[in-house]
């Protein structure tokens, strides 16, 4: 059964140094507030997992939280590169970053395998790419029925998955709608999970395209209005495109980045 906690309590209880942590969300419902709390609590040596690491992972990497990144595409969407990510990979600042790169389909199927209790996933993918030469967790496998050569990738089972959603009820059932990506699969694949929400309500009103995570599948729920900014929460907020554009300049320079993070993230709780 999910426990209703504060965001600080949820991160303190569920995220440990050295954990494999997935913060999922595809353009929509990206858990920025939770990522910032991880930074404030100075978690270290994390293996970060995400299909599309964008600005929040740039911030986590730049603040020294990560030792490894498992991903399928990384960038500042609609703008360009993640400069803190590149600095860590290319120059080891603030710490060296290992990478494990997959395709979108490969990552999605890895979450599905993890959620299904299977050791690996099989797909028609990676053919004609050089990813298998660079990623040791991509292997050929022969179908025992047809002889077709397919691709196997190991299941993803994060120690903790963190997602943002629109609503939860007081029993800890979580409701999200709109573009939901692989949040459901990532939560079900994880040992522990934290969901931040825009609001906590007495009952969940059905919504078109909704996904409901039952309370038994969630470890903790934390109220965090605006917790997906600068991404958006359908029905609650719009995407802050100006922020994504501004981030390109902020993140290019180490000192500018560090100053911005200190002012807007590390000191945020003190100023609240």
């Amino acid at each position: 059964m999910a426990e209703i906690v504060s965001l600080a309590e949820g991160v303190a209880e569920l995220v440990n140094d050295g954990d494999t942590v997935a913060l999922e969300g595809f353009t929509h419902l990206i858990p920025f507030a939770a990522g910032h709390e991880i930074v404030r609590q100075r978690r270290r040596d994390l293996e970060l997992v995400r299909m599309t690491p964008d600005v929040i992972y740039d911030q986590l990497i730049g603040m020294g939280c990560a030792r490894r990144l498992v991903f399928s595409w990384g960038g500042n969407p609609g703008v360009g590169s993640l400069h803190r990510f590149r600095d860590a990979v290319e120059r080891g600042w603030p710490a060296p970053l290992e990478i494990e790169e997959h395709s979108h389909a490969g990552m999605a199927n890895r979450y599905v395998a993890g959620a299904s209790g299977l050791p690996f996933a099989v797909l028609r993918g990676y053919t004609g790419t050089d990813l298998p030469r660079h990623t040791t967790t991509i292997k050929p496998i022969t179908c025992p029925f047809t002889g077709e050569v397919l691709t196997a990738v190991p299941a993803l089972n994060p120690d903790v998955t963190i997602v943002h959603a629109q609503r939860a009820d007081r029993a800890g059932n979580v409701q999200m709608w709109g573009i939901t990506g692989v949040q459901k699969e990532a939560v079900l694949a994880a040992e522990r999970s934290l969901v931040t929400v825009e609001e906590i309500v007495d009952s969940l009103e059905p919504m078109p395209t909704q996904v409901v995570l039952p309370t038994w599948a969630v470890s903790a729920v934390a109220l965090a209005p605006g917790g997906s900014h600068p991404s958006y929460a359908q029905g609650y907020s719009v995407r802050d495109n100006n922020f994504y554009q501004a981030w390109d300049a902020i993140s290019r320079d180490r000192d500018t980045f560090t100053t911005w993070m200190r002012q807007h993230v590390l000191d945020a709780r003190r100023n609240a």
Side-chain angles (χ1 to χ4, degrees):
M1 301 290 287
E3 182 182 5
I4 308 296
V5 299
S6 71
L7 178 54
E9 289 170 338
V11 170
E13 293 174 7
L14 298 173
V15 182
N16 305 305
D17 288 350
D19 275 354
T20 298
V21 182
L23 291 88
E24 280 295 348
F26 190 75
T27 302
H28 175 232
L29 297 176
I30 299 172
F32 272 86
H36 290 165
E37 186 60 32
I38 290 172
V39 170
R40 283 192 289 270
Q41 295 194 17
R42 301 186 184 277
R43 292 296 182 267
R44 292 293 182 266
D45 298 318
L46 301 178
E47 179 177 58
L48 295 177
V49 179
R50 183 173 156 88
M51 280 187 62
T52 54
D54 63 355
V55 170
I56 188 57
Y57 274 40
D58 209 30
Q59 294 174 350
L60 286 161
I61 291 165
M63 294 302 288
C65 298
R67 64 170 177 82
R68 194 164 191 270
L69 177 66
V70 181
F71 72 111
S72 56
W73 174 90
N76 183 345
V79 179
S81 292
L82 295 175
H83 301 297
R84 295 302 93 222
F85 174 22
R86 290 192 63 163
D87 205 5
V89 172
E90 296 174 358
R91 302 175 191 87
W93 190 93
L97 183 71
E98 302 173 29
I99 60 172
E100 178 183 329
E101 187 174 0
H102 286 267
S103 67
H104 278 357
M107 288 290 289
N109 277 276
R110 293 185 71 189
Y111 278 128
V112 171
S116 303
L118 297 171
F120 63 90
V122 177
L123 66 153
R124 290 188 178 94
Y126 300 98
T127 302
T129 76
D130 62 357
L131 279 173
R133 292 196 294 110
H134 299 282
T135 304
T136 59
T137 50
I138 301 171
K139 300 291 186 183
I141 188 170
T142 301
C143 174
F145 304 104
T146 67
E148 181 181 2
V149 177
L150 303 168
T151 303
V153 287
L156 268 174
N157 293 106
D159 294 306
V160 57
T161 289
I162 301 174
V163 300
H164 188 70
Q166 281 98 336
R167 292 196 289 240
D169 65 19
R170 302 190 191 285
N173 299 294
V174 173
Q175 182 188 37
M176 62 181 75
W177 62 90
I179 299 174
T180 53
V182 294
Q183 285 99 314
K184 175 185 71 175
E185 292 81 2
V187 166
L188 294 177
E191 180 180 343
R192 305 180 298 277
S193 57
L194 171 65
V195 183
T196 57
V197 295
E198 293 290 326
E199 63 174 336
I200 296 174
V201 297
D202 292 329
S203 61
L204 301 178
E205 177 187 352
M207 295 293 293
T209 75
Q210 72 175 10
V211 171
V212 175
L213 296 170
T215 182
W216 54 261
V218 176
S219 302
V221 171
L223 180 64
S228 65
H229 181 268
S231 76
Y232 71 103
Q234 184 169 321
Y236 291 80
S237 62
V238 297
R239 190 176 191 268
D240 187 351
N241 293 316
N242 291 333
F243 179 90
Y244 285 94
Q245 293 174 337
W247 184 252
D248 186 69
I250 292 167
S251 61
R252 281 180 181 271
D253 178 76
R254 294 175 183 177
D255 291 338
T256 303
F257 162 78
T258 303
T259 299
W260 190 94
M261 290 296 293
R262 182 172 61 250
Q263 293 175 344
H264 295 273
V265 176
L266 294 179
D267 292 343
R269 186 186 300 154
R270 185 183 311 160
N271 296 333

